[in-house]
Amino acid sequence: MEQPGASSLPDAVRGHWAERWAPAGLRPYLRLARIERPIGWWLLLLPCWWSAALAAIAKGQPYPDPLHCVLFLIGAVAMRGAGCTYNDIVDRDLDIRVERTRQRPLPSGQVSLKGALVFLGLQALVGLLVLLQFNAFAIATGFGSLAVVALYPFMKRFFWMPQIVLGLAFSWGALMGWAAMFGSLSPAPGLLYLASIAWVVGYDTIYALQDIEDDEIAGIKSSARFFGERVRQGVAACYGLTVMLMIAAFLQAGAGVAAFVGLFLFALHLGWQVARIDRSDGAGALRLFRSNRDAGLILFAAMVMDALF
């Protein structure tokens, strides 16, 4: 028999393998890790890949380190799952008060608190094993993200822009690719990190439009509620800042024409998102949010082409 809540999460990918083929007893844990919602690990991975590609451009290599890119992929899936599990442990009292989240595994009783804690530890162990494959500086840089990750779930209770803290955590990969390549940091990855933070605040504001009414009832703070009727202008400002900081990062790294063409296409995609924002359309907000994977891949492909040519 299907577990409760298996098909009631509106932002899950329909027909995902985790719901069709995974053993029934494992499915609640896969939902806890948001495996059936891959957009999250994509958005965690993309700044890592951008950073690896930017480092390749700066170093004059024809492509980013393939092993690093694979390790970042594994690490992104594991740590996104660990982050979601931790977030749900902290937020289980709030999730039950929001329509879109009350069927998550913890508030719905599909997973016990003890089971969630064990699962969190296993995912964190995978992330640690991945991190230990890099140089000492990159390992230390990776550990630096833990404090921000630990803070994020609590911010929505008292900070009107918790998306900024989410950006600090989700953008950490913008430092990691460069650190893994050079064993140090410089202004270029720093600017890329700031650009990614602005991008995260923009796209997660769009995502938060799905919950804006429930968040008001539950007292949960978000950038979507903060911007209110001016949410389109708020997202436009975030995306505009993203592009400006990306330009500065590319200039610092010595990027060429191909990278800037990709950045132009990336900017067009972000502008298209802003034009399509509708505060009353939660399903449309989810589609726009998910489209950031494509925007990020366009930019990464252009950066790889720039390194190659």
Side-chain angles (χ1 to χ4, degrees):
M1 181 179 293
E2 192 69 59
Q3 297 274 357
S7 60
S8 59
L9 297 174
D11 51 351
V13 174
R14 293 184 180 277
H16 192 272
W17 65 264
E19 297 295 347
R20 298 177 62 189
W21 307 114
L26 186 59
R27 290 179 195 176
Y29 291 93
L30 294 177
R31 293 182 203 118
L32 194 60
R34 310 289 200 275
I35 291 297
E36 83 287 11
R37 279 164 280 182
I39 183 60
W41 62 255
W42 271 114
L43 294 175
L44 186 61
L45 171 64
L46 282 164
C48 302
W49 279 4
W50 291 346
S51 185
L54 194 68
I57 291 170
K59 198 170 183 179
Q61 292 192 349
Y63 44 78
D65 189 303
L67 177 58
H68 289 178
C69 289
V70 171
L71 289 172
F72 287 140
L73 170 60
I74 298 169
V77 175
M79 294 313 295
R80 187 277 186 125
C84 289
T85 303
Y86 171 68
N87 186 80
D88 283 7
I89 290 170
V90 174
D91 278 356
R92 61 192 186 279
D93 59 326
L94 294 178
D95 283 346
I96 202 166
R97 297 158 64 185
V98 176
E99 180 64 32
R100 189 178 58 82
T101 59
R102 64 172 52 112
Q103 290 301 326
R104 284 177 175 173
L106 269 170
S108 65
Q110 300 171 54
V111 173
S112 68
L113 179 59
K114 181 179 178 181
L117 288 169
V118 171
F119 187 52
L120 170 61
L122 291 173
Q123 293 173 97
L125 178 60
V126 173
L128 175 62
L129 292 175
V130 169
L131 183 62
L132 292 177
Q133 306 311 305
F134 295 108
N135 61 59
F137 184 85
I139 292 171
T141 302
F143 274 112
S145 68
L146 294 181
V148 182
V149 173
L151 278 176
Y152 169 67
F154 301 97
M155 302 307 290
K156 68 188 75 173
R157 289 163 166 80
F158 59 87
F159 182 42
W160 271 107
M161 293 285 285
Q163 279 73 17
I164 293 176
V165 184
L166 179 68
L168 292 172
F170 252 64
S171 300
W172 204 266
L175 304 175
M176 291 300 297
W178 190 283
M181 174 74 78
F182 289 105
S184 63
L185 291 174
S186 73
L191 289 163
L192 186 68
Y193 178 58
L194 294 176
S196 184
I197 292 170
W199 181 53
V200 173
V201 175
Y203 70 58
D204 204 62
T205 298
I206 295 174
Y207 184 78
L209 290 174
Q210 298 176 90
D211 299 329
I212 196 164
E213 293 181 359
D214 283 338
D215 284 352
E216 289 177 0
I217 295 171
I220 298 172
K221 294 175 172 58
S222 74
S223 53
R225 289 188 63 202
F226 177 78
F227 290 132
E229 296 293 334
R230 301 193 177 201
V231 67
R232 180 174 291 167
Q233 293 92 323
V235 173
C238 291
Y239 283 170
L241 183 59
T242 298
V243 173
M244 288 189 290
L245 289 166
M246 285 279 192
I247 291 171
F250 283 11
L251 291 173
Q252 281 285 333
V257 174
F260 283 99
V261 169
L263 181 56
F264 175 71
L265 296 175
F266 177 74
L268 284 180
H269 195 293
L270 299 187
W272 169 80
Q273 290 181 44
V274 171
R276 296 292 298 273
I277 290 174
D278 181 351
R279 291 182 77 248
S280 63
D281 183 7
L286 179 59
R287 287 192 296 271
L288 291 176
F289 165 75
R290 284 176 171 168
S291 75
N292 279 281
R293 182 202 65 171
D294 300 332
L297 284 173
I298 288 169
L299 183 59
F300 174 65
M303 295 168 73
V304 172
M305 293 293 289
D306 194 74
L308 182 61
F309 294 113

